[in-house]
Amino acid sequence: MPLAIGTTLSRRRFLTLTGALAAGSLALSASTLWPRWARAEPELATRLLRLGRDIYPHEAIADRYYLAPLTPLLEEQRELIAAGLDDLDRRARAAHGRDYAAVDSAAEREALLRQIEDGEFFQAVRNTLVVGLYDTPELWQAHFGYEGSSWEQGGYVGRGYNDLVIDWL
Amino acid sequence: MSTRFEHDDDGVVVIIGSGAGGGTLAHALARKGIKSVVLEAGKRYALEDIENDEWAMFEKISWLDERITAGPRQLTETFPNLPAWIVKGVGGSTIHWAGVALRFQPHEFRLHSEVGEIAGANLLDWPISYEELEPYYVQAERHMGVTGEASGMPLHDWNNNFMVLAEGARRVGYEKLRAGPMAINTRPYDDRPQCMQAGFCMQGCRFGAKWSTMYTDIPRAEATGYCEVRPNAMALTIEHDERGRVNAVVYADAEGKLQRQRARAVCVAGNSIESPRLLLNSHSALFPDGLANSSGQVGRNYMTHATACVFAEMPKPVNMHRGTTFAGIISDEARLDRSRGFVGGYTLEVMSLGLPFFAKFMDPANGGWGRDYAAILEKYDHLSGVWICGEDLPMEENGITLHDSRKDQYGLPVPIVYKGDHPNDEALRRHGQQQARSCYDAVGAVRVFDVPDFPTSHNVGTNRMSARPEDGVVNQWGQAHDIDNLFVSDGSQFTSSGAENPTLTIVALALRQADHIAERMSRGEL
């Protein structure tokens, strides 16, 4: 369960404030919603997942961590997302003769996305992911070396805040 | 339960805001037996409410009421409704500040005299000198528990993040490298515990090792019986009598009901956005342009510090998130030296962000994504960061104005926060970024990258001090030139921004103002 209700609200509130999203109704816990949505619209889920994985490509992070924050976005802005993905496919077909997800080269897919990075659709997906994906505690230590909350362990006194040896020069 | 004062008690000083300025002032007045009512727009938090969680705390304590970011800068697109990242709650931004407690330098109080006129800037000397403020700096340092001579506490041990930056700085020839001074205890002091190096200083210190009016000045003021704090009390307007002396503050309580607290004097300490907003909103037939605004300077000369961040990826893990957030300071560039191509100086302050914030702030513009971006994030534990805190020149057009139709939840016009950079600010920032890059390169960085500006927490100016009434809003005591029982008690009274974090100076000014108010009361003048 990557997301608690509280953190979902925080992110959504932040995104609203920073202009990423129009104010909308509050989402329920993403972790309880996404399987239902993914089952209901597996095709849309797959296409959105490809996009999300191209925006923040981390090979070793499982799909569900991308889908969890993207689910409430799709719940609220399905038309925007569906239209955006259709537009992306049109661009991919014009440039490469196939749908976006079928373009093999990651660099070519990124180039397509650079064309739309200022648009509302892309910004909505990116802003959702940049807050949602990286605020997933179980990914921190394994993928980024970030340890998160420390007060429960008495902070880092005696636990390495000043243990650096600069031996790389 | 603290003392309760009647709404029609006209013997109380009404203080608007409970942060570094208002909280300190309330406590200092209470110790002199002067009654005050503190109106705080935000809630009251307990230490247990403080979490080591960046987004959760951002949501919980930030001032998130609608504001409009304006001006020729990227922030208007990346953070259109968040021009400043400050706190709404009892304790104000002292919950969120990172504890860096630097004094302004003597020349920074007289920058105009030092450098003369600069086109496009609205420079002015402070009407107070460093020498006059120095005793209050000492008092503030003891009061807050600032590491170093005044408190007798040693400076912090260098954390990993600062070791990296400092080693690079040494190699480029810098000498003024210190882990402080900081108002974060290195041993138990003033009934507060020592720092546990948990990080998350900007989310609030869970242990209470950092000075904050939230758990020092405010409860101590209340304990004297001379201070009542009213949370969830948003000041709307200040009223005055026919002679032009202020006599009451109208505020919205937690239920949104209007209340009116009579006052012997009013001290405005709501930060550089809310304080001028309140004065402007308090216009009347006698003061058609807003209270204390005969000069037209209320809301003008808004300064934030010329800032930028530089991060570097090192060959091996640094774990910058361990230990205090702003663990060390390099002051070599804080000097006045025009040969660098700009006036004013800057400090380089080592800084860390947790992964959630770093991912968002490394490049908040639309381009902040893709393979290279993700690759940097995967090296999170190898990163070290530094923040540039530089002199931001006052410009008359930078400031706070009221929107002509949009209203917030209190029915107040939404503030528009306009900020553009002076060419001097840009030159200073570029220099700082280059020097920071040199420090990191000198210690073997794999790559170094600039991080664009994000919403500042340092907001000063907008009700500035001036010797002459026509140049500013308040005199050297923070007393309005136009209204002798109206005071400004926060950073909005700053005449210049200096190259140092503002909090220590705000506290020193508040302690000095408390003495002044007490003296004038004892002489029957207030």
Side-chain angles (χ1 to χ4, degrees), chain B residues 260-274:
Chain B
R260 184 170 175 274
Q261 176 62 52
R262 297 192 66 184
R264 178 179 184 175
V266 175
C267 300
V268 181
N271 191 284
S272 280
I273 297 175
E274 292 305 318

Side-chain angles (χ1 to χ4, degrees), chain A residues 13 55 58 126 147 161 168, chain B residues 59 160 321 368 370 378 443:
Chain A
R13 173 88 168 121
I55 294 176
H58 298 289
R126 183 190 88 89
E147 297 166 287
Y161 81 98
W168 58 63
Chain B
E59 167 70 13
N160 295 347
H321 59 277
E378 290 194 351
V443 74

